[in-house]
Amino acid sequence: MHDILRQVPLFSNLAPDHYEILAAITKEQRVKRGETIFSEGDPAKQIYVVASGRVKIFKLSAEGKEQILHVFGPGEPFAEVAVFIGDTYPAHAIALEPSHLLIIPRQEFAHLIEKDPTLALEMLASLAQRLKQFAAMIESLSLQEVPTRLAGHLRYLTEEQQSSTVRLDLPKGQLAALLGTTPETLSRIFNKMSATGAIKVNRSTVTILDHAYLEDLAEGMARL
């Protein structure tokens, strides 16, 4: 558990003895694929860290349409915003695959912050980064066309996976929800991008063949 906690950016600057305290208050939970971790409106009583697996954070409209806000993977904390302000969870969390989670209770975490104020600064930095991500998402969904959003996501995957051939991090139906479109529209855009020679799609992997065009499309300087 200590090794996992040390890999979490939120806890990277903790004093050595405070890792012992953090590990002592941390619990573990294993969830199955599709299992609900928490629902929107539940009291925010604990912070989560993904030890392994992936977790989807999403909201549902009144009509039941899903909008994915973020997908968290190994080493990433989530729900710290709601816990930090002592509110309810603002969205739903579901395991995308079998996952191992670390759970840190809010009250004990607050006591740890009192002992190590640098943790509060790290949390503020984490919250600022999260707000930046959400601002970029709102701008993308409100101002950008779907091909631009998809190109931007593919660019992100190439940077994250450091390869021109990337594995889609979500099934296409889930990816459509993340990009604010429908699976049918997403499939048409994939087909059009393939027809231009910009990419090659093989099931859940995509090979970028024309990086310059993808970059222009992601920046809104080219149209599909």
PDB file of all heavy atoms in Angstrom, residues 150 153-155 157-158 161 163-169 172 175 190 193-194 198-209 211 214:
ATOM      1  N   LEU A 150     -12.542  14.568 -31.403  1.00  0.00           N
ATOM      2  CA  LEU A 150     -11.950  13.243 -31.568  1.00  0.00           C
ATOM      3  C   LEU A 150     -10.459  13.357 -31.878  1.00  0.00           C
ATOM      4  O   LEU A 150      -9.649  12.608 -31.318  1.00  0.00           O
ATOM      5  CB  LEU A 150     -12.664  12.476 -32.679  1.00  0.00           C
ATOM      6  CG  LEU A 150     -12.071  11.092 -33.015  1.00  0.00           C
ATOM      7  CD1 LEU A 150     -12.031  10.198 -31.783  1.00  0.00           C
ATOM      8  CD2 LEU A 150     -12.865  10.431 -34.138  1.00  0.00           C
ATOM      9  N   HIS A 153      -8.624  14.066 -28.791  1.00  0.00           N
ATOM     10  CA  HIS A 153      -8.517  12.894 -27.914  1.00  0.00           C
ATOM     11  C   HIS A 153      -7.461  11.929 -28.433  1.00  0.00           C
ATOM     12  O   HIS A 153      -6.684  11.368 -27.647  1.00  0.00           O
ATOM     13  CB  HIS A 153      -9.871  12.186 -27.813  1.00  0.00           C
ATOM     14  CG  HIS A 153      -9.898  11.095 -26.797  1.00  0.00           C
ATOM     15  ND1 HIS A 153      -9.877  11.338 -25.442  1.00  0.00           N
ATOM     16  CD2 HIS A 153      -9.921   9.740 -26.936  1.00  0.00           C
ATOM     17  CE1 HIS A 153      -9.896  10.186 -24.791  1.00  0.00           C
ATOM     18  NE2 HIS A 153      -9.919   9.212 -25.671  1.00  0.00           N
ATOM     19  N   LEU A 154      -7.408  11.729 -29.738  1.00  0.00           N
ATOM     20  CA  LEU A 154      -6.389  10.850 -30.307  1.00  0.00           C
ATOM     21  C   LEU A 154      -4.988  11.421 -30.072  1.00  0.00           C
ATOM     22  O   LEU A 154      -4.043  10.677 -29.791  1.00  0.00           O
ATOM     23  CB  LEU A 154      -6.645  10.646 -31.803  1.00  0.00           C
ATOM     24  CG  LEU A 154      -7.897   9.843 -32.166  1.00  0.00           C
ATOM     25  CD1 LEU A 154      -8.085   9.804 -33.681  1.00  0.00           C
ATOM     26  CD2 LEU A 154      -7.824   8.421 -31.603  1.00  0.00           C
ATOM     27  N   ARG A 155      -4.863  12.733 -30.178  1.00  0.00           N
ATOM     28  CA  ARG A 155      -3.574  13.379 -29.887  1.00  0.00           C
ATOM     29  C   ARG A 155      -3.178  13.139 -28.438  1.00  0.00           C
ATOM     30  O   ARG A 155      -2.020  12.838 -28.142  1.00  0.00           O
ATOM     31  CB  ARG A 155      -3.665  14.881 -30.176  1.00  0.00           C
ATOM     32  CG  ARG A 155      -2.362  15.629 -29.896  1.00  0.00           C
ATOM     33  CD  ARG A 155      -2.479  17.097 -30.278  1.00  0.00           C
ATOM     34  NE  ARG A 155      -3.515  17.775 -29.516  1.00  0.00           N
ATOM     35  CZ  ARG A 155      -3.831  19.066 -29.691  1.00  0.00           C
ATOM     36  NH1 ARG A 155      -3.186  19.786 -30.606  1.00  0.00           N
ATOM     37  NH2 ARG A 155      -4.778  19.637 -28.971  1.00  0.00           N
ATOM     38  N   LEU A 157      -4.036  10.595 -26.584  1.00  0.00           N
ATOM     39  CA  LEU A 157      -3.654   9.195 -26.427  1.00  0.00           C
ATOM     40  C   LEU A 157      -2.251   8.933 -26.952  1.00  0.00           C
ATOM     41  O   LEU A 157      -1.495   8.150 -26.364  1.00  0.00           O
ATOM     42  CB  LEU A 157      -4.669   8.291 -27.134  1.00  0.00           C
ATOM     43  CG  LEU A 157      -6.071   8.216 -26.526  1.00  0.00           C
ATOM     44  CD1 LEU A 157      -6.960   7.288 -27.349  1.00  0.00           C
ATOM     45  CD2 LEU A 157      -6.029   7.751 -25.076  1.00  0.00           C
ATOM     46  N   THR A 158      -1.887   9.575 -28.069  1.00  0.00           N
ATOM     47  CA  THR A 158      -0.530   9.377 -28.607  1.00  0.00           C
ATOM     48  C   THR A 158       0.514   9.910 -27.631  1.00  0.00           C
ATOM     49  O   THR A 158       1.590   9.324 -27.477  1.00  0.00           O
ATOM     50  CB  THR A 158      -0.352  10.055 -29.975  1.00  0.00           C
ATOM     51  OG1 THR A 158      -0.556  11.466 -29.845  1.00  0.00           O
ATOM     52  CG2 THR A 158      -1.322   9.495 -30.995  1.00  0.00           C
ATOM     53  N   GLN A 161       0.386   7.424 -24.439  1.00  0.00           N
ATOM     54  CA  GLN A 161       0.918   6.087 -24.700  1.00  0.00           C
ATOM     55  C   GLN A 161       2.254   6.125 -25.445  1.00  0.00           C
ATOM     56  O   GLN A 161       2.876   5.079 -25.662  1.00  0.00           O
ATOM     57  CB  GLN A 161      -0.120   5.271 -25.481  1.00  0.00           C
ATOM     58  CG  GLN A 161      -1.435   5.093 -24.722  1.00  0.00           C
ATOM     59  CD  GLN A 161      -2.485   4.305 -25.502  1.00  0.00           C
ATOM     60  OE1 GLN A 161      -2.164   3.510 -26.399  1.00  0.00           O
ATOM     61  NE2 GLN A 161      -3.752   4.514 -25.175  1.00  0.00           N
ATOM     62  N   SER A 163       3.108   6.562 -28.545  1.00  0.00           N
ATOM     63  CA  SER A 163       3.124   5.692 -29.720  1.00  0.00           C
ATOM     64  C   SER A 163       2.177   6.252 -30.775  1.00  0.00           C
ATOM     65  O   SER A 163       1.190   6.918 -30.453  1.00  0.00           O
ATOM     66  CB  SER A 163       2.700   4.276 -29.337  1.00  0.00           C
ATOM     67  OG  SER A 163       2.565   3.464 -30.482  1.00  0.00           O
ATOM     68  N   SER A 164       2.491   5.969 -32.042  1.00  0.00           N
ATOM     69  CA  SER A 164       1.592   6.356 -33.132  1.00  0.00           C
ATOM     70  C   SER A 164       0.425   5.385 -33.271  1.00  0.00           C
ATOM     71  O   SER A 164      -0.573   5.697 -33.914  1.00  0.00           O
ATOM     72  CB  SER A 164       2.365   6.425 -34.451  1.00  0.00           C
ATOM     73  OG  SER A 164       3.295   7.481 -34.442  1.00  0.00           O
ATOM     74  N   THR A 165       0.574   4.199 -32.683  1.00  0.00           N
ATOM     75  CA  THR A 165      -0.529   3.238 -32.615  1.00  0.00           C
ATOM     76  C   THR A 165      -1.019   3.185 -31.183  1.00  0.00           C
ATOM     77  O   THR A 165      -0.270   2.810 -30.275  1.00  0.00           O
ATOM     78  CB  THR A 165      -0.091   1.839 -33.074  1.00  0.00           C
ATOM     79  OG1 THR A 165       0.327   1.900 -34.443  1.00  0.00           O
ATOM     80  CG2 THR A 165      -1.230   0.844 -32.951  1.00  0.00           C
ATOM     81  N   VAL A 166      -2.261   3.601 -30.981  1.00  0.00           N
ATOM     82  CA  VAL A 166      -2.779   3.734 -29.622  1.00  0.00           C
ATOM     83  C   VAL A 166      -3.970   2.806 -29.402  1.00  0.00           C
ATOM     84  O   VAL A 166      -4.692   2.454 -30.343  1.00  0.00           O
ATOM     85  CB  VAL A 166      -3.199   5.183 -29.321  1.00  0.00           C
ATOM     86  CG1 VAL A 166      -1.997   6.110 -29.408  1.00  0.00           C
ATOM     87  CG2 VAL A 166      -4.297   5.655 -30.274  1.00  0.00           C
ATOM     88  N   ARG A 167      -4.129   2.431 -28.163  1.00  0.00           N
ATOM     89  CA  ARG A 167      -5.302   1.650 -27.758  1.00  0.00           C
ATOM     90  C   ARG A 167      -6.354   2.619 -27.241  1.00  0.00           C
ATOM     91  O   ARG A 167      -6.069   3.443 -26.375  1.00  0.00           O
ATOM     92  CB  ARG A 167      -4.926   0.649 -26.665  1.00  0.00           C
ATOM     93  CG  ARG A 167      -6.099  -0.200 -26.165  1.00  0.00           C
ATOM     94  CD  ARG A 167      -5.653  -1.148 -25.062  1.00  0.00           C
ATOM     95  NE  ARG A 167      -5.157  -0.417 -23.908  1.00  0.00           N
ATOM     96  CZ  ARG A 167      -5.941   0.077 -22.938  1.00  0.00           C
ATOM     97  NH1 ARG A 167      -7.250  -0.045 -23.011  1.00  0.00           N
ATOM     98  NH2 ARG A 167      -5.406   0.719 -21.913  1.00  0.00           N
ATOM     99  N   LEU A 168      -7.557   2.530 -27.785  1.00  0.00           N
ATOM    100  CA  LEU A 168      -8.638   3.382 -27.295  1.00  0.00           C
ATOM    101  C   LEU A 168      -8.881   3.067 -25.829  1.00  0.00           C
ATOM    102  O   LEU A 168      -9.013   1.900 -25.445  1.00  0.00           O
ATOM    103  CB  LEU A 168      -9.911   3.165 -28.111  1.00  0.00           C
ATOM    104  CG  LEU A 168      -9.847   3.595 -29.577  1.00  0.00           C
ATOM    105  CD1 LEU A 168     -11.166   3.286 -30.280  1.00  0.00           C
ATOM    106  CD2 LEU A 168      -9.518   5.075 -29.701  1.00  0.00           C
ATOM    107  N   ASP A 169      -8.932   4.099 -25.003  1.00  0.00           N
ATOM    108  CA  ASP A 169      -9.051   3.894 -23.565  1.00  0.00           C
ATOM    109  C   ASP A 169     -10.475   3.607 -23.130  1.00  0.00           C
ATOM    110  O   ASP A 169     -10.720   3.311 -21.957  1.00  0.00           O
ATOM    111  CB  ASP A 169      -8.505   5.107 -22.807  1.00  0.00           C
ATOM    112  CG  ASP A 169      -9.102   6.430 -23.287  1.00  0.00           C
ATOM    113  OD1 ASP A 169      -9.768   6.432 -24.346  1.00  0.00           O
ATOM    114  OD2 ASP A 169      -8.893   7.443 -22.609  1.00  0.00           O
ATOM    115  N   LYS A 172     -16.152   2.254 -27.841  1.00  0.00           N
ATOM    116  CA  LYS A 172     -16.592   3.376 -28.678  1.00  0.00           C
ATOM    117  C   LYS A 172     -17.881   4.021 -28.187  1.00  0.00           C
ATOM    118  O   LYS A 172     -18.065   5.231 -28.337  1.00  0.00           O
ATOM    119  CB  LYS A 172     -16.706   2.913 -30.129  1.00  0.00           C
ATOM    120  CG  LYS A 172     -15.340   2.640 -30.759  1.00  0.00           C
ATOM    121  CD  LYS A 172     -15.440   2.211 -32.212  1.00  0.00           C
ATOM    122  CE  LYS A 172     -14.051   1.952 -32.794  1.00  0.00           C
ATOM    123  NZ  LYS A 172     -14.097   1.476 -34.185  1.00  0.00           N
ATOM    124  N   LEU A 175     -16.712   6.216 -25.449  1.00  0.00           N
ATOM    125  CA  LEU A 175     -15.945   7.319 -26.013  1.00  0.00           C
ATOM    126  C   LEU A 175     -16.872   8.369 -26.608  1.00  0.00           C
ATOM    127  O   LEU A 175     -16.632   9.578 -26.480  1.00  0.00           O
ATOM    128  CB  LEU A 175     -14.980   6.791 -27.084  1.00  0.00           C
ATOM    129  CG  LEU A 175     -14.098   7.826 -27.782  1.00  0.00           C
ATOM    130  CD1 LEU A 175     -13.264   8.610 -26.773  1.00  0.00           C
ATOM    131  CD2 LEU A 175     -13.200   7.155 -28.814  1.00  0.00           C
ATOM    132  N   PHE A 190     -14.936   8.318 -37.586  1.00  0.00           N
ATOM    133  CA  PHE A 190     -13.810   7.397 -37.703  1.00  0.00           C
ATOM    134  C   PHE A 190     -13.643   6.944 -39.158  1.00  0.00           C
ATOM    135  O   PHE A 190     -12.527   6.886 -39.689  1.00  0.00           O
ATOM    136  CB  PHE A 190     -14.013   6.180 -36.801  1.00  0.00           C
ATOM    137  CG  PHE A 190     -13.365   6.298 -35.448  1.00  0.00           C
ATOM    138  CD1 PHE A 190     -14.113   6.202 -34.290  1.00  0.00           C
ATOM    139  CD2 PHE A 190     -11.990   6.487 -35.333  1.00  0.00           C
ATOM    140  CE1 PHE A 190     -13.518   6.299 -33.043  1.00  0.00           C
ATOM    141  CE2 PHE A 190     -11.375   6.574 -34.093  1.00  0.00           C
ATOM    142  CZ  PHE A 190     -12.137   6.490 -32.942  1.00  0.00           C
ATOM    143  N   MET A 193     -12.244   9.819 -41.268  1.00  0.00           N
ATOM    144  CA  MET A 193     -10.831  10.043 -40.989  1.00  0.00           C
ATOM    145  C   MET A 193      -9.974   8.939 -41.606  1.00  0.00           C
ATOM    146  O   MET A 193      -8.869   9.190 -42.091  1.00  0.00           O
ATOM    147  CB  MET A 193     -10.592  10.141 -39.481  1.00  0.00           C
ATOM    148  CG  MET A 193     -11.175  11.401 -38.856  1.00  0.00           C
ATOM    149  SD  MET A 193     -10.946  11.495 -37.057  1.00  0.00           S
ATOM    150  CE  MET A 193      -9.172  11.790 -36.970  1.00  0.00           C
ATOM    151  N   SER A 194     -10.501   7.718 -41.603  1.00  0.00           N
ATOM    152  CA  SER A 194      -9.789   6.601 -42.242  1.00  0.00           C
ATOM    153  C   SER A 194      -9.726   6.801 -43.746  1.00  0.00           C
ATOM    154  O   SER A 194      -8.698   6.532 -44.390  1.00  0.00           O
ATOM    155  CB  SER A 194     -10.477   5.278 -41.909  1.00  0.00           C
ATOM    156  OG  SER A 194     -10.451   5.015 -40.525  1.00  0.00           O
ATOM    157  N   ALA A 198      -5.745   9.644 -42.776  1.00  0.00           N
ATOM    158  CA  ALA A 198      -5.143  10.213 -41.563  1.00  0.00           C
ATOM    159  C   ALA A 198      -4.904   9.155 -40.499  1.00  0.00           C
ATOM    160  O   ALA A 198      -3.938   9.238 -39.730  1.00  0.00           O
ATOM    161  CB  ALA A 198      -6.035  11.315 -40.996  1.00  0.00           C
ATOM    162  N   ILE A 199      -5.804   8.155 -40.440  1.00  0.00           N
ATOM    163  CA  ILE A 199      -5.688   7.114 -39.422  1.00  0.00           C
ATOM    164  C   ILE A 199      -6.043   5.762 -40.033  1.00  0.00           C
ATOM    165  O   ILE A 199      -6.630   5.676 -41.126  1.00  0.00           O
ATOM    166  CB  ILE A 199      -6.635   7.373 -38.219  1.00  0.00           C
ATOM    167  CG1 ILE A 199      -8.107   7.328 -38.668  1.00  0.00           C
ATOM    168  CG2 ILE A 199      -6.300   8.689 -37.516  1.00  0.00           C
ATOM    169  CD1 ILE A 199      -9.105   7.399 -37.522  1.00  0.00           C
ATOM    170  N   LYS A 200      -5.682   4.726 -39.304  1.00  0.00           N
ATOM    171  CA  LYS A 200      -6.086   3.366 -39.647  1.00  0.00           C
ATOM    172  C   LYS A 200      -6.653   2.740 -38.388  1.00  0.00           C
ATOM    173  O   LYS A 200      -5.987   2.706 -37.351  1.00  0.00           O
ATOM    174  CB  LYS A 200      -4.898   2.553 -40.166  1.00  0.00           C
ATOM    175  CG  LYS A 200      -5.261   1.108 -40.531  1.00  0.00           C
ATOM    176  CD  LYS A 200      -4.037   0.349 -41.030  1.00  0.00           C
ATOM    177  CE  LYS A 200      -4.384  -1.098 -41.368  1.00  0.00           C
ATOM    178  NZ  LYS A 200      -3.182  -1.854 -41.825  1.00  0.00           N
ATOM    179  N   VAL A 201      -7.890   2.258 -38.474  1.00  0.00           N
ATOM    180  CA  VAL A 201      -8.576   1.701 -37.305  1.00  0.00           C
ATOM    181  C   VAL A 201      -8.612   0.188 -37.403  1.00  0.00           C
ATOM    182  O   VAL A 201      -8.985  -0.369 -38.441  1.00  0.00           O
ATOM    183  CB  VAL A 201     -10.012   2.258 -37.190  1.00  0.00           C
ATOM    184  CG1 VAL A 201     -10.706   1.680 -35.956  1.00  0.00           C
ATOM    185  CG2 VAL A 201      -9.999   3.776 -37.132  1.00  0.00           C
ATOM    186  N   ASN A 202      -8.211  -0.466 -36.334  1.00  0.00           N
ATOM    187  CA  ASN A 202      -8.275  -1.926 -36.246  1.00  0.00           C
ATOM    188  C   ASN A 202      -8.874  -2.291 -34.901  1.00  0.00           C
ATOM    189  O   ASN A 202      -8.177  -2.383 -33.895  1.00  0.00           O
ATOM    190  CB  ASN A 202      -6.882  -2.537 -36.407  1.00  0.00           C
ATOM    191  CG  ASN A 202      -6.917  -4.067 -36.392  1.00  0.00           C
ATOM    192  OD1 ASN A 202      -7.989  -4.667 -36.518  1.00  0.00           O
ATOM    193  ND2 ASN A 202      -5.765  -4.692 -36.206  1.00  0.00           N
ATOM    194  N   ARG A 203     -10.204  -2.437 -34.889  1.00  0.00           N
ATOM    195  CA  ARG A 203     -10.945  -2.727 -33.665  1.00  0.00           C
ATOM    196  C   ARG A 203     -10.705  -1.637 -32.622  1.00  0.00           C
ATOM    197  O   ARG A 203     -11.129  -0.510 -32.796  1.00  0.00           O
ATOM    198  CB  ARG A 203     -10.604  -4.125 -33.142  1.00  0.00           C
ATOM    199  CG  ARG A 203     -11.026  -5.234 -34.106  1.00  0.00           C
ATOM    200  CD  ARG A 203     -10.781  -6.614 -33.510  1.00  0.00           C
ATOM    201  NE  ARG A 203     -11.207  -7.665 -34.428  1.00  0.00           N
ATOM    202  CZ  ARG A 203     -11.115  -8.959 -34.168  1.00  0.00           C
ATOM    203  NH1 ARG A 203     -10.608  -9.384 -33.007  1.00  0.00           N
ATOM    204  NH2 ARG A 203     -11.532  -9.844 -35.067  1.00  0.00           N
ATOM    205  N   SER A 204      -9.988  -1.955 -31.548  1.00  0.00           N
ATOM    206  CA  SER A 204      -9.817  -0.980 -30.467  1.00  0.00           C
ATOM    207  C   SER A 204      -8.489  -0.243 -30.544  1.00  0.00           C
ATOM    208  O   SER A 204      -8.111   0.460 -29.608  1.00  0.00           O
ATOM    209  CB  SER A 204      -9.937  -1.667 -29.099  1.00  0.00           C
ATOM    210  OG  SER A 204      -8.924  -2.642 -28.948  1.00  0.00           O
ATOM    211  N   THR A 205      -7.773  -0.399 -31.650  1.00  0.00           N
ATOM    212  CA  THR A 205      -6.519   0.336 -31.822  1.00  0.00           C
ATOM    213  C   THR A 205      -6.609   1.267 -33.025  1.00  0.00           C
ATOM    214  O   THR A 205      -7.302   0.970 -34.006  1.00  0.00           O
ATOM    215  CB  THR A 205      -5.315  -0.612 -32.007  1.00  0.00           C
ATOM    216  OG1 THR A 205      -5.501  -1.389 -33.197  1.00  0.00           O
ATOM    217  CG2 THR A 205      -5.161  -1.531 -30.807  1.00  0.00           C
ATOM    218  N   VAL A 206      -5.929   2.385 -32.917  1.00  0.00           N
ATOM    219  CA  VAL A 206      -5.913   3.385 -33.986  1.00  0.00           C
ATOM    220  C   VAL A 206      -4.461   3.750 -34.273  1.00  0.00           C
ATOM    221  O   VAL A 206      -3.706   4.093 -33.350  1.00  0.00           O
ATOM    222  CB  VAL A 206      -6.694   4.649 -33.597  1.00  0.00           C
ATOM    223  CG1 VAL A 206      -6.628   5.690 -34.710  1.00  0.00           C
ATOM    224  CG2 VAL A 206      -8.148   4.307 -33.275  1.00  0.00           C
ATOM    225  N   THR A 207      -4.068   3.683 -35.534  1.00  0.00           N
ATOM    226  CA  THR A 207      -2.727   4.086 -35.945  1.00  0.00           C
ATOM    227  C   THR A 207      -2.803   5.446 -36.627  1.00  0.00           C
ATOM    228  O   THR A 207      -3.584   5.628 -37.567  1.00  0.00           O
ATOM    229  CB  THR A 207      -2.099   3.066 -36.912  1.00  0.00           C
ATOM    230  OG1 THR A 207      -2.021   1.788 -36.268  1.00  0.00           O
ATOM    231  CG2 THR A 207      -0.699   3.502 -37.331  1.00  0.00           C
ATOM    232  N   ILE A 208      -2.029   6.387 -36.121  1.00  0.00           N
ATOM    233  CA  ILE A 208      -1.999   7.724 -36.720  1.00  0.00           C
ATOM    234  C   ILE A 208      -1.041   7.700 -37.900  1.00  0.00           C
ATOM    235  O   ILE A 208       0.158   7.458 -37.741  1.00  0.00           O
ATOM    236  CB  ILE A 208      -1.542   8.781 -35.690  1.00  0.00           C
ATOM    237  CG1 ILE A 208      -2.333   8.637 -34.378  1.00  0.00           C
ATOM    238  CG2 ILE A 208      -1.712  10.178 -36.280  1.00  0.00           C
ATOM    239  CD1 ILE A 208      -3.827   8.726 -34.533  1.00  0.00           C
ATOM    240  N   LEU A 209      -1.564   7.961 -39.094  1.00  0.00           N
ATOM    241  CA  LEU A 209      -0.749   7.932 -40.314  1.00  0.00           C
ATOM    242  C   LEU A 209      -0.318   9.330 -40.754  1.00  0.00           C
ATOM    243  O   LEU A 209       0.708   9.477 -41.410  1.00  0.00           O
ATOM    244  CB  LEU A 209      -1.539   7.256 -41.441  1.00  0.00           C
ATOM    245  CG  LEU A 209      -2.015   5.822 -41.165  1.00  0.00           C
ATOM    246  CD1 LEU A 209      -2.867   5.322 -42.316  1.00  0.00           C
ATOM    247  CD2 LEU A 209      -0.834   4.891 -40.919  1.00  0.00           C
ATOM    248  N   HIS A 211       0.236  12.723 -38.862  1.00  0.00           N
ATOM    249  CA  HIS A 211       0.248  13.493 -37.613  1.00  0.00           C
ATOM    250  C   HIS A 211      -0.025  14.979 -37.857  1.00  0.00           C
ATOM    251  O   HIS A 211      -0.685  15.630 -37.037  1.00  0.00           O
ATOM    252  CB  HIS A 211       1.597  13.313 -36.909  1.00  0.00           C
ATOM    253  CG  HIS A 211       1.772  11.981 -36.256  1.00  0.00           C
ATOM    254  ND1 HIS A 211       1.394  11.727 -34.949  1.00  0.00           N
ATOM    255  CD2 HIS A 211       2.268  10.813 -36.736  1.00  0.00           C
ATOM    256  CE1 HIS A 211       1.676  10.468 -34.651  1.00  0.00           C
ATOM    257  NE2 HIS A 211       2.190   9.883 -35.719  1.00  0.00           N
ATOM    258  N   LEU A 214      -3.750  15.475 -38.300  1.00  0.00           N
ATOM    259  CA  LEU A 214      -4.440  15.279 -37.022  1.00  0.00           C
ATOM    260  C   LEU A 214      -4.249  16.491 -36.116  1.00  0.00           C
ATOM    261  O   LEU A 214      -5.194  16.940 -35.458  1.00  0.00           O
ATOM    262  CB  LEU A 214      -3.920  14.019 -36.332  1.00  0.00           C
ATOM    263  CG  LEU A 214      -4.661  13.633 -35.038  1.00  0.00           C
ATOM    264  CD1 LEU A 214      -6.029  13.045 -35.368  1.00  0.00           C
ATOM    265  CD2 LEU A 214      -3.848  12.631 -34.218  1.00  0.00           C
TER     266      LEU A 214
END
